[in-house]
Amino acid sequence: TNTQSGVTVSRTESYVKPVYKPYLMACEGHRICSSYRTTYEVAYRQVSQNIPQPLYACCPGWRRTSARTHVCSKGVCRLPCQHGGVCIGNSRCDCSPGWSGKHCQKDVDECRLGGHGCSQLCINTDGSYHCDCRAGYRLKPDRTTYQIGRA
């Protein structure tokens, strides 16, 4: 999209200036009358002029990374990305692990998806999960495998 902005410059401009010159003449009844005669001369003046410069606007969903560039590479999200997600353009978020959805608003159920590494019980939590044990077992230091709960 192209909108206009400009740069103001000062320059000298020539123009035709009217000059009104009085003159006397004889009128009826031997009186003297005055009148004006208009002549023109070239004059000069300083003028300021706005020179239009193109200013390019970014496409919807994008904005400039700085005012000094024409590159529109910073994403804009209409709704903010949640849970540490990062806007990557036109209302799209790159979500942190454990979150999904257009704005990272949905918890990923890692237990339902599998691949969590829990040997017995997987407990889904907001944005994460943890492993747990059935009765008679306890969690090893690696937090994923279990051993019989004897001291």
Side-chain angles (χ1 to χ4, degrees):
T1 307
N2 186 351
T3 57
Q4 293 293 317
S5 72
V7 176
T8 302
V9 295
S10 182
R11 63 180 177 81
T12 303
E13 173 182 84
S14 65
Y15 67 102
V16 177
K17 176 181 170 185
V19 178
Y20 304 102
K21 293 185 179 181
Y23 70 94
L24 301 175
M25 61 182 192
C27 295
E28 285 181 37
H30 300 290
R31 294 182 335 191
I32 296 178
C33 297
S34 66
S35 186
Y36 289 92
R37 185 174 294 149
T38 304
T39 61
Y40 298 92
E41 64 183 34
V42 176
Y44 299 92
R45 61 184 168 205
Q46 286 295 119
V47 294
S48 293
Q49 183 178 16
N50 189 28
I51 307 294
Q53 301 289 318
L55 175 67
Y56 296 94
C58 295
C59 295
W62 299 94
R63 67 181 170 112
R64 286 184 188 81
T65 51
S66 79
R68 295 185 180 130
T69 181
H70 294 296
V71 177
C72 301
S73 60
K74 180 138 178 92
V76 176
C77 289
R78 196 170 51 87
L79 295 174
C81 300
Q82 299 176 25
H83 305 289
V86 176
C87 184
I88 57 172
N90 203 8
S91 291
R92 290 184 329 188
C93 297
D94 184 22
C95 300
S96 299
W99 297 99
S100 68
K102 189 171 182 179
H103 304 288
C104 305
Q105 76 281 10
K106 294 182 193 173
D107 173 55
V108 172
D109 188 344
E110 296 88 353
C111 297
R112 188 175 52 79
L113 292 176
H116 46 73
C118 297
S119 300
Q120 293 183 357
L121 303 174
C122 179
I123 310 297
N124 188 56
T125 61
D126 283 347
S128 189
Y129 69 95
H130 68 269
C131 300
D132 208 348
C133 312
R134 293 186 192 105
Y137 292 84
R138 69 177 183 179
L139 200 56
K140 280 187 174 180
D142 68 7
R143 312 279 307 152
T144 58
T145 57
Y146 304 86
Q147 65 187 17
I148 296 178
R150 293 186 197 141

